[in-house]
Amino acid sequence: MKNKYLPRIADAKLALALKAMGAVLIEGPKWCGKTSTAEHVAKSILYMQDPDAFEENMLKAKTKPSLLLEGETPRLLDEWQVAPVLWNAVRFAVDKRQKAGQFILTGSVIPVRTDDMHSGTGRISRMKMRTMSLFESGESSGEISLGDLFDGKTEMFGNSKVTLEQVAFILTRGGWPAAVNEKNETLALKKVTDYYEAVVNEDISKVDNVEKSPDRVRSLMRSLSRNISSEAGTTTILNDLRANDELLSQVTIDQYINALKTLFVIDDLPAWSPRLRSKIAIRTTAKRHFSDPSIATAALGATTKRLFDDFCTFGLLFEALCIRDLRIYADSLDGNVYHYRDAKGVEVDAIIQMNDGRWGAVEVKMGAGDIETASENLIKFKGNIDTAKMQEPSFLMVLTATESAFQMENGVWVVPLGCLKN
């Protein structure tokens, strides 16, 4: 029996895009729910990878792609990148019809661009989907809204029911809809392992039809997992891997990493460049992240029990979980998430910046013991910002795995991840 559709934060963004544009492209990792979200509003559907119709669909794509666009609108073209010619066909059809909400395209691989592929600007809106946040999976109470924090709302309180044991399980289960829907915990974890194995053994080689060593892919993903939430460069990763694979080259590592990015498996966090009061050098290296932290736990073979045996890794993975949710919430508000680090060692785990210039700073601390220090670090960081050239922060927040949400006397918010929503 098909699982019940769980509402997604992306639903509202898709609905708005369909009203504004002729077509919408939804991109994101395989199994994150793109097709289900699109199916929920589509009036007709073309599954390009349907084995019963694949040959016929590919023949139509080669001879007359417009045939594949016929159907009630909005028409879903699932995994459209199998036939890249559909991009230009959709663009032309949108121009010809002059109507909004004609097509939804979904894809779990970034296609190789060809010289004759138009940009789609003004015709095709792009949106990215990730796995499910804690609010979408029903595990966050949603008592504290990121939007409310940006709007300056005060007198907000909340209580998280997510225990540290549940955080550990969520990290290993991930936000994959199929795993979230699965009531049997063993089967839920098996689904994550199956996703990881599919990436290692099949998907990464299909990206460019170049065979890649599963053993090397495993080693690479383990190294990336050990360096999650850090600024480890490819040289660091290569040195880590060469301990067991002396013949490994920088070119090979770059090829493998690019393939994982093409599959939306790797989702690094870029650095933020604010206006500062002094001429402090700002680091520009991105932080290592996956599209879902469960990819890292699968690569490391980390169980709930093993996370409690290695609290350092547990903390880094919790930071990755927070970044995933912040990205989902920020995206729904037309914002982006970055990290900050300068040459003097001042770091902020997450900077959320809205398109209108508003921004907020977030430190991630799993336990209550580090909250006071984190809040002082945020205030110190705020003092370095040149507010004559950019806005004051809308809020400062310590994001935790604790129980209570409240605002401290110094103005810094303490918010458990289990209380947060968009």
Side-chain angles (χ1 to χ4, degrees):
M1 185 176 71
K2 191 172 182 179
N3 285 323
K4 178 183 176 182
Y5 179 72
L6 295 175
R8 304 295 297 272
I9 289 175
D11 291 339
K13 192 161 189 173
L14 175 58
L16 180 62
L18 285 170
K19 290 179 181 179
M21 302 289 280
V24 182
L25 169 63
I26 308 176
E27 296 179 303
K30 184 184 288 187
W31 295 0
C32 76
K34 301 180 302 298
T35 300
S36 295
T37 293
E39 285 174 335
H40 202 57
V41 297
K43 296 295 176 62
S44 66
I45 304 174
L46 169 69
Y47 297 106
M48 282 302 297
Q49 293 186 328
D50 179 355
D52 291 338
F54 182 77
E55 294 298 334
E56 181 181 350
N57 287 338
M58 292 304 291
L59 182 60
K60 288 179 180 178
K62 290 178 181 178
T63 56
K64 194 175 182 181
S66 61
L67 292 173
L68 297 174
L69 307 187
E70 294 178 359
E72 194 174 356
T73 60
R75 180 164 175 76
L76 167 59
L77 310 178
D78 186 51
E79 298 296 347
W80 70 275
Q81 78 281 348
V82 172
V85 69
L86 287 175
W87 181 267
N88 283 351
V90 166
R91 176 185 172 278
F92 181 77
V94 168
D95 274 349
K96 190 174 180 180
R97 296 180 188 183
Q98 292 292 303
K99 291 182 180 179
Q102 296 300 292
F103 304 102
I104 306 171
L105 296 83
T106 59
S108 51
V109 178
I110 301 173
V112 177
R113 290 193 64 84
T114 58
D115 292 338
D116 62 344
M117 281 183 70
H118 295 276
S119 67
T121 302
R123 289 96 168 175
I124 305 174
S125 176
R126 293 173 178 267
M127 59 178 282
K128 187 172 183 178
M129 276 192 71
R130 294 182 167 86
T131 54
M132 301 182 79
S133 64
L134 265 63
F135 181 63
E136 292 170 289
S137 61
E139 286 152 318
S140 169
S141 66
E143 292 168 288
I144 306 296
S145 160
L146 191 63
D148 286 343
L149 288 171
F150 271 109
D151 289 339
K153 186 175 178 180
T154 57
E155 298 299 318
M156 294 188 291
F157 303 93
N159 284 286
S160 170
K161 296 182 180 180
V162 181
T163 65
L164 208 54
E165 288 76 16
Q166 287 173 310
V167 169
F169 172 68
I170 290 167
L171 281 170
T172 54
R173 180 210 64 196
W176 312 98
V180 170
N181 268 308
E182 179 57 64
K183 303 303 179 187
N184 183 297
E185 291 189 1
T186 301
L187 294 179
L189 298 179
K190 177 69 167 59
K191 293 179 187 294
V192 179
T193 303
D194 287 346
Y195 170 85
Y196 170 71
E197 291 296 332
V199 169
V200 169
N201 293 300
E202 299 175 33
D203 295 346
I204 194 169
S205 294
K206 290 179 180 178
V207 167
D208 50 12
N209 292 317
V210 175
E211 196 66 30
K212 296 174 180 64
S213 163
D215 288 339
R216 280 183 168 176
V217 178
R218 289 181 196 281
S219 295
L220 171 60
M221 293 185 72
R222 280 196 295 269
S223 181
L224 290 170
S225 300
R226 287 192 294 269
N227 288 285
I228 199 165
S229 302
S230 80
E231 297 173 73
T234 53
T235 301
T236 300
I237 302 298
L238 180 60
N239 290 337
D240 185 21
L241 298 179
R242 274 184 174 163
N244 298 307
D245 191 349
E246 294 180 0
L247 299 178
L248 195 60
S249 69
Q250 186 73 57
V251 172
T252 300
I253 286 293
D254 289 340
Q255 289 173 342
Y256 280 38
I257 287 177
N258 287 337
L260 291 172
K261 287 181 178 179
T262 299
L263 290 168
F264 300 100
V265 173
I266 290 177
D267 194 6
D268 290 339
L269 186 68
W272 190 55
S273 298
R275 299 292 186 93
L276 302 178
R277 294 183 188 277
S278 57
K279 295 181 180 180
I280 302 172
I282 300 172
R283 302 290 180 88
T284 59
T285 306
K287 273 192 175 183
R288 294 291 181 185
H289 282 279
F290 291 110
S291 56
D292 192 279
S294 64
I295 298 173
T297 61
L300 294 171
T303 62
T304 299
K305 182 180 182 303
R306 285 188 62 191
L307 288 177
F308 277 95
D309 292 338
D310 183 355
F311 241 74
C312 180
T313 299
F314 194 174
L316 293 172
L317 288 166
F318 176 68
E319 180 180 333
L321 179 67
C322 291
I323 295 299
R324 182 204 66 185
D325 279 16
L326 287 174
R327 280 173 145 171
I328 294 168
Y329 301 150
D331 184 66
S332 72
L333 303 171
D334 292 325
N336 291 289
V337 182
Y338 306 89
H339 80 92
Y340 173 87
R341 186 183 180 192
D342 62 36
K344 290 193 173 182
V346 176
E347 291 186 66
V348 178
D349 295 322
I351 302 292
I352 307 164
Q353 186 162 35
M354 298 293 103
N355 287 343
D356 61 10
R358 290 179 298 163
W359 62 279
V362 182
E363 278 279 73
V364 176
K365 298 297 178 186
M366 201 156 60
D370 296 320
I371 290 175
E372 190 71 36
T373 301
S375 72
E376 291 171 0
N377 181 60
L378 287 169
I379 292 171
K380 179 181 178 182
F381 164 72
K382 175 187 173 182
N384 289 335
I385 301 297
D386 188 349
T387 53
K389 295 181 179 179
M390 60 184 297
Q391 297 181 33
E392 292 262 359
S394 298
F395 64 88
L396 304 174
M397 181 207 303
V398 182
L399 194 55
T400 72
T402 55
E403 182 178 346
S404 299
F406 59 95
Q407 189 172 23
M408 302 173 69
E409 289 185 4
N410 60 11
V412 176
W413 286 92
V414 177
V415 181
L417 187 61
C419 286
L420 195 61
K421 68 173 182 179
N422 61 319

